[in-house]
Amino acid sequence: SPATEKLTPQRVLELFTAAVREGLGLDRVVFALLSPDHAMLQGRFFGGVRANSALHRFEFERHGKSIFARLMDKPAAFWLNAANLKKMAPLLTDHVRRVTEVEEFVAHSIFIDDRPIGLCYADRGLSHKPVSEADYKEFRINCQILVKRLASLSSNKKIAAGSDG
């Protein structure tokens, strides 16, 4: 909305994380950003995640062998579920299993102008309800809206920076 035009990217991510949790009914949401050197994907914004949980320490090597590292190769959405669990097993490293502690989740890599920024992860690890096809589609749509909002904030900053000249 026009009201979000003046928000910082950090505030947009905070609001987005809360909206995914509350609006889509996903119990636990993590928004992870790439570290400044792009070597690590690190959880920065959390919704419904206990401070002492493994998920609160969401951190993966950017060029590792996990599903999260692979998602950072290109813009993509992913839904781990019973239908693809066996096929995806090689990317579900021990570290992924320890951190997520679930066998079903959704994730979406976030890119702005072909640049990887981060990843949104969500699950129903507290309620243990399944994620439906409709939930997954809505999650994807919301992540795509976020990308557009972050891109517009980025270009607004570029425009503002250029007009200072």
Side-chain angles (χ1 to χ4, degrees):
S1 74
T4 63
E5 289 296 329
K6 302 222 184 273
L7 296 177
T8 64
Q10 292 76 14
R11 185 67 180 135
V12 169
L13 293 175
E14 287 171 6
L15 292 170
F16 175 79
T17 301
V20 167
R21 182 167 183 250
E22 295 162 18
L24 300 181
L26 294 163
D27 299 339
R28 304 183 312 166
V29 181
V30 175
F31 199 94
L33 294 172
L34 283 174
S35 59
D37 65 0
H38 286 221
M40 300 297 289
L41 186 61
Q42 302 167 316
R44 291 287 185 249
F45 303 93
F46 302 90
V49 178
R50 293 186 185 104
N52 62 348
S53 71
L55 192 56
H56 200 271
R57 294 181 298 280
F58 188 101
E59 185 173 86
F60 292 88
E61 290 181 21
R62 163 66 178 88
H63 298 289
K65 298 194 184 314
S66 76
I67 182 64
F68 303 123
R70 295 293 53 89
L71 282 169
M72 296 310 298
D73 290 343
K74 63 183 179 182
F78 176 72
W79 174 19
L80 178 68
N81 56 38
N84 64 10
L85 186 62
K86 195 172 196 173
K87 177 183 170 195
M88 299 309 297
L91 296 175
L92 302 173
T93 63
D94 289 342
H95 184 55
V96 169
R97 291 179 185 280
R98 271 193 311 277
V99 170
T100 62
E101 300 176 313
V102 295
E103 292 197 355
E104 183 173 36
F105 62 79
V106 293
H108 198 299
S109 55
I110 305 298
F111 280 63
I112 308 295
D113 299 328
D114 297 326
R115 259 187 25 236
I117 302 298
L119 175 133
C120 185
Y121 165 94
D123 68 32
R124 291 215 168 107
L126 302 177
S127 66
H128 302 289
K129 293 179 188 173
V131 174
S132 70
E133 178 82 25
D135 296 330
Y136 174 61
K137 284 181 181 175
E138 195 64 29
F139 174 77
R140 280 189 2 231
I141 289 167
N142 278 272
C143 288
Q144 291 162 359
I145 291 168
L146 173 68
V147 166
K148 288 177 185 166
R149 172 56 62 209
L150 291 174
S152 77
L153 289 174
S154 175
S155 51
N156 287 349
K157 276 188 175 176
K158 287 176 192 169
I159 292 166
S163 67
D164 289 347

